[in-house]
Amino acid sequence: MVFGWVVVAHQLGASFAAYEAGLLRDLLSSYWLPFLMAGFVCMIAAIMAVRIRRTGIAAKAL
């Protein structure tokens, strides 16, 4: 059940990002800003992923 909601959220985010990038391309005649925004979001996601702490059995195995 949770996996289904993750997939739905991913698809909604992807469709919003594609629409927004196209809209900004039409307004600015360049993909520079959407590219920069996507890179910024990726950096935030990478920082969040690195900050995940291991607990329980997985942490004891290391």
Side-chain angles (χ1 to χ4, degrees):
M1 183 75 176
V2 172
F3 182 72
W5 285 111
V6 169
V7 171
V8 168
H10 179 268
Q11 292 301 317
L12 289 174
S15 64
F16 177 75
Y19 177 79
E20 195 68 28
L23 185 64
L24 287 173
R25 166 67 171 95
D26 287 344
L27 293 174
L28 303 174
S29 299
S30 172
Y31 279 114
W32 182 81
L33 184 59
F35 184 76
L36 186 66
M37 291 169 58
F40 184 70
V41 170
C42 286
M43 289 298 292
I44 291 172
I47 291 168
M48 290 172 62
V50 168
R51 292 182 46 92
I52 295 173
R53 298 178 191 257
R54 294 178 185 239
T55 59
I57 296 171
K60 292 176 184 173
L62 294 176

